[in-house]
Every structure is written in structure tokens, then in C-alpha cells.
């Protein structure tokens, strides 16, 4: 099968790596890809994965390439092309593509859509209101004592959520988004949620429109610095499984979210084929959804795909065909830990072009896979080319062993200004 992956981050490297292991994959491309993706080889015939210089949001060029190359399955990694309707466009042109269509991708592209859906179908979430008028929004925030999360409706590069501790902060956040338009059109409307306290986890479920299959738990690390301090990032570390839910509790939580979600999708004629990724707060009053994403998390994909035993081509194919009910998900019993190595200064401004040393030494360590994100090839050297540079991922017999292996690999890798957290998975081990 000729496969085309769209995206260039660590998530897409993990997707390419796992797809390339399938005997069904005969030729693969990735647009735009990165230096690590370009080093992958197909298990079936050792042919290289070819990176194609087309941006992940350039839909007409992606379509033309897929048609000219007779692609048999396109796999979409990031949220933006999904929100722009890449799946609808490819399907209209008779191409098989994995990911939710534009209507289904609204679970991520519109927080007001998601919040209204959750309330309509009884999915546990925070007390919330949706607003486009700042006066009404401030009144609602005041009723919550100002302790709330103010969220821009649309996609805002993961920066559209402002956490407020009091009324002054809430008023400022509301003005910033609705009046100051700091997120442009993405902030034409907002959701205000009550502030929820508890342990935050990531859930993933693969869905073919009728059937869903829940993944094990994982936990993201969003803040840049140790101890959950510093600025919010796109995610700088992850591990799976978490010890915060037993198998039985996970099933209960999954059912409480996914049963009404599937019922709602059927009622609203939403044909969701892809990954539903709810961010969940485990509160004293039970699990509550903070938000839905409509694709693999990054770096959740890195820990899930290193643990997944199924053939990923078969799994995604079943998802596209609507035959997920015939597949049983199988997971390695080992734990997986991913430590993101970022450019100095990330998530603020940072320099690019720093030479990365030690990648070969790290790759030799048992159970380690170094996924590339912001990297580029410069002559025969690999250099940094983005904020999140590498996702150093390791499997171990338990979380402690996986954490030790991941950090042993991190120690082998050097580039100027490299920054990473030293406490990924620590919450699970204390
Ligand atoms: P979101 O993009 O909606 O997941 O929000 C980004 C981050 O903000 C989440 O991962 C949480 O850490 C935090 N957050 C979002 N909503 C809430 C809430 N209602 N209460 C507490 N923290 C929240």
C-alpha cells in the first residue's frame, strides 16, 4: 500500500515509524516531514520514506501530490488540515484518507461546539457558558468568583486558554480575547469553564463512526519547567500508563464519556473516523472533560505508538472502512516515557540551526526510540529547526525503568541551549 503521512512533528514521526513496520506498507511519503522521518525505512523492502516539501495546510498541493503518486491511504496528523477540511477534499476526489472530516473535526476546532455538545448529550464536563458578548461573559465569570478558564473558540496554536484566579484576571482575559481580539477570528466567541482541580490525564479512543476503542491512560506535561512551573507549551513530556485509574475505573470513565458521545454523534449525523482525544480532569466529583481534540496528541502519540502491538496500517484501514469492531487493540505490558528536548527559550523565542550530537549513541540504547520534531538535515549534520526538537522515548518493564532509560538517552544527546524537564513521569512514581 502506498501511504502518505501529513505533518512534521514528533507525532508524525511516530506515525511514520509505526506504519513503516507494517508488511502492508510498500512505499511511503511524508509532507513536509523532518530529518528523522527521512531516515525511516520500510520493513517490507527497506525503501526510504520520502519527505515532500509541501506544507501541511497547503491542501491543493497535497491533493495534487496524492493523485499524481496514486496514494492509497493518506494519514493526517495535525489539527489544522483537519479543521480546513482535508478529509472532505480528498474523499470528494476519490482518495482514501484517515482522520475526521470537517464537521467531525469541530470537536477540536470549535470549543463552543464541543461544550454545547457535551451539555446536550450529558457528557461530564465543567460548568460552563459560551459567549460572544463581553458583558454577559464577565457576569458569568463573576458568578464563578473569577476562578475559571477562559477559552478562545477556535484553534489558537494551543495558546487560547487563559486560566484566571480572580475576577480581575477573568475580566482581563475576556477583554483580551473578545475585545482586543488577541486570537483574531479564533476568539470571536469564548467558552468560560469553572476552574477544576484534580489530576489531569489524557485519554484517546479510535473511532470509525460507529465503534470506539479506548486506549490506556497517559499523562501530558504542559508546563515548560519542572514541578509544572513556567509557561504552557505544546507538551514537553508524556508517559503511559498512569497509575491514577485502574483498568476497571478506566473502563467506567471511558463508558461515561464515550457512550453518550457516540449517541450524540449518531443523533447529529457526525461521522467521526479518527482519534478522539479528551483531556480529562479527575476531580473529587468524578472525571470531567476539559476539552476534546480530534487527533493524536503530541507527545501522546509517541508513547502510545511505542506500546501498540497491532499493525497500524490494518488499524487505520479498519477505521476508514468502518470495521473497527473486528479489531482487538493489543498493548505491550511495558510502560513508555517520552521526554521532549526543546530549543532554549521555548515556548518563547529560540534560535534554530543548532547542531545535534549523540543521536546515534542514544539510538543504540535498549528500548529507546528518538522521535524527531523540529529537526532538519544540513549537509551531513542534523540541526534543530523548531521549538520542540526531539521526543526521546523509551520502553521499560515498568514506569521507573522506562523513565531511567529515557533519561539515559537524553544524557547522550547534546545541542546548544537544549532544555528539557527532569521530572517527566515523576508524579506517577512518588
Ligand atoms: P485545553 O486546551 O482546553 O485542554 O486547556 C489547556 C490546559 O488548561 C489544560 O490542559 C488544563 O491544564 C488547563 N485547563 C483547561 N480548562 C480548565 C479548567 N476548566 N479547569 C482547570 N484547568 C483547566
Amino acid at each position: 500500500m502506498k501511504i502518505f503521512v501529513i505533518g512534521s512533528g514528533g507525532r508524525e514521526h511516530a506515525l511514520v515509524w509505526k506504519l513503516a513496520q507494517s508488511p502492508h506498507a510498500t512505499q511511503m511519503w511524508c509532507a513536509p516531514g523532518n530529518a528523522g522521518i527521512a531516515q525511516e525505512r520500510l520493513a517490507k523492502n527497506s525503501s526510504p520514506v520520502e519527505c515532500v516539501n509541501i506544507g501541511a495546510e497547503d491542501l491543493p498541493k497535497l491533493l495534487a501530490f496524492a493523485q499524481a503518486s496514486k496514494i492509497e491511504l493518506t494519514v493526517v496528523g495535525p489539527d489544522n488540515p483537519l479543521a480546513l477540511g482535508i478529509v472532505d477534499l480528498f474523499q470528494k476526489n476519490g482518495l482514501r484518507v484517515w482522520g475526521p472530516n470537517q464537521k467531525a473535526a469541530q470537536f477540536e476546532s470549535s470549543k463552543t461546539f464541543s461544550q454545547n455538545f457535551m451539555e446536550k448529550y450529558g457528557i461530564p464536563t465543567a460548568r460552563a457558558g459560551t459567549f460572544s458578548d463581553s458583558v454577559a461573559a464577565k457576569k458569568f465569570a463573576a458568578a464563578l468568583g473569577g476562578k475559571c478558564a477562559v477559552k478562545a473558540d477556535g484553534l489558537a496554536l494551543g495558546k487560547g486558554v487563559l486560566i484566571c484566579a480572580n475576577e480581575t484576571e477573568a475580566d482581563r482575559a475576556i477583554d483580551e480575547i473578545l475585545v482586543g481580539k488577541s486570537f483574531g477570528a479564533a476568539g470571536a466567541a469564548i467558552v468560560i469553564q469553572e476552574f477544576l482541580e484534580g489530576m489531569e490525564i489524557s485519554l484517546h479512543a479510535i473511532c470509525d463512526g460507529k465503534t470506539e476503542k479506548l486506549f490506556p491512560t497517559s499523562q501530558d506535561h504542559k508546563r515548560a519547567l519542572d514541578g509544572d512551573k513556567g509557561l504552557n507549551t505544546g507538551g514537553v513530556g508524556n508517559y503511559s500508563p498512569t497509575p491514577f485509574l485502574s483498568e476497571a475505573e478506566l473502563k467506567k470513565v471511558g463508558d461515561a464519556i464515550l457512550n453518550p458521545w457516540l449517541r450524540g454523534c449518531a443523533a447529529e449525523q457526525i461521522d467521526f473516523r479518527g482519534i478522539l482525544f479528551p483531556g480529562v480532569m479527575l476531580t473529587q466529583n468524578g472525571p470531567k472533560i476539559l476539552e476534546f481534540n480530534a487527533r493524536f496528541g503530541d507527545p501522546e502519540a509517541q508513547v502510545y505508538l511505542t506500546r501498540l502491538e497491532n499493525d497500524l496500517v490494518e488499524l487505520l484501514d479498519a477505521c476508514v472502512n468502518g470495521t473497527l469492531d473486528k479489531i482487538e487493540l493489543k498493548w505491550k505490558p511495558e510502560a513508555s516515557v517520552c521526554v521532549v528536548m526543546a530549543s532554549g527559550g521555548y515556548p518563547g523565542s529560540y534560535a534554530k540551526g543548532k547542531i545535534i550530537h549523540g543521536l546515534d549513541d542514544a539510538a543504540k540504547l535498549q528500548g529507546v526510540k528518538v522521535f524527531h520534531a523540529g529537526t532538519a538535515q544540513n549537509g551531513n549534520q542534523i540541526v534543530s529547526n523548531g521549538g520542540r526538537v526531539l521526543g526521546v522515548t523509551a520502553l521499560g518493564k515498568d514506569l521507573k525503568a522506562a523513565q531511567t532509560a529515557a533519561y539515559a538517552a537524553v544524557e547522550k544527546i547534546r545541542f546548544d541551549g537544549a532544555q528539557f524537564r527532569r521530572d517527566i513521569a515523576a508524579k506517577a512514581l512518588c
Side-chain angles (χ1 to χ4, degrees), residues 111 149 151 161 163 193-196 200 222 290-291:
K111 289 197 192 282
K151 307 186 176 191
V161 176
I163 303 292
Q193 287 181 337
E194 66 176 321
F195 182 81
L196 292 176
E200 193 177 337
K222 285 222 196 289
L290 299 176
E291 62 157 0

Side-chain angles (χ1 to χ4, degrees), residues 250-414:
L250 172 63
K251 169 139 190 10
K252 252 172 68 187
V253 171
D255 286 348
I257 296 165
L258 294 168
N259 290 347
W261 177 79
L262 270 179
R263 267 200 307 278
C265 284
E268 307 282 336
Q269 291 172 333
I270 296 171
D271 184 16
F272 191 106
R273 296 177 193 234
I275 294 281
L276 184 76
F277 160 16
V280 180
M281 193 72 92
L282 302 174
T283 74
Q284 282 189 334
N285 301 319
K288 306 251 163 119
I289 308 280
L290 299 176
E291 62 157 0
F292 281 125
N293 301 291
R295 37 84 197 167
F296 269 105
D298 185 343
E300 279 83 353
Q302 290 85 318
V303 297
Y304 282 135
L305 294 174
T306 46
R307 292 192 65 208
L308 183 70
E309 285 193 342
N310 299 69
D311 180 312
L312 188 60
V313 175
E314 288 175 11
L315 182 59
L316 301 191
D317 215 37
C319 195
V320 173
N321 293 341
T323 53
L324 256 190
D325 57 333
K326 308 261 182 326
I327 290 205
E328 188 196 341
L329 290 187
K330 295 205 179 90
W331 300 96
K332 294 196 171 94
E334 286 100 325
S336 183
V337 171
C338 173
V339 179
V340 171
M341 297 183 77
S343 296
Y346 174 78
S349 60
Y350 51 82
K352 293 183 182 176
K354 304 292 179 193
I355 298 168
I356 306 173
H357 302 277
L359 287 167
D360 291 343
D361 288 342
K364 283 185 200 135
L365 298 177
Q366 168 111 32
V368 168
K369 175 68 193 174
V370 179
F371 293 112
H372 290 224
T375 67
Q377 190 81 35
N378 186 1
N380 51 18
Q381 281 169 329
I382 290 181
V383 298
S384 65
N385 192 39
R388 293 187 293 175
V389 178
L390 302 167
V392 182
T393 309
L395 284 175
K397 68 176 180 2
D398 54 27
L399 267 179
K400 184 71 204 158
Q403 186 197 45
T404 304
Y407 279 106
V410 166
E411 290 306 322
K412 302 268 181 209
I413 300 172
R414 299 175 314 284

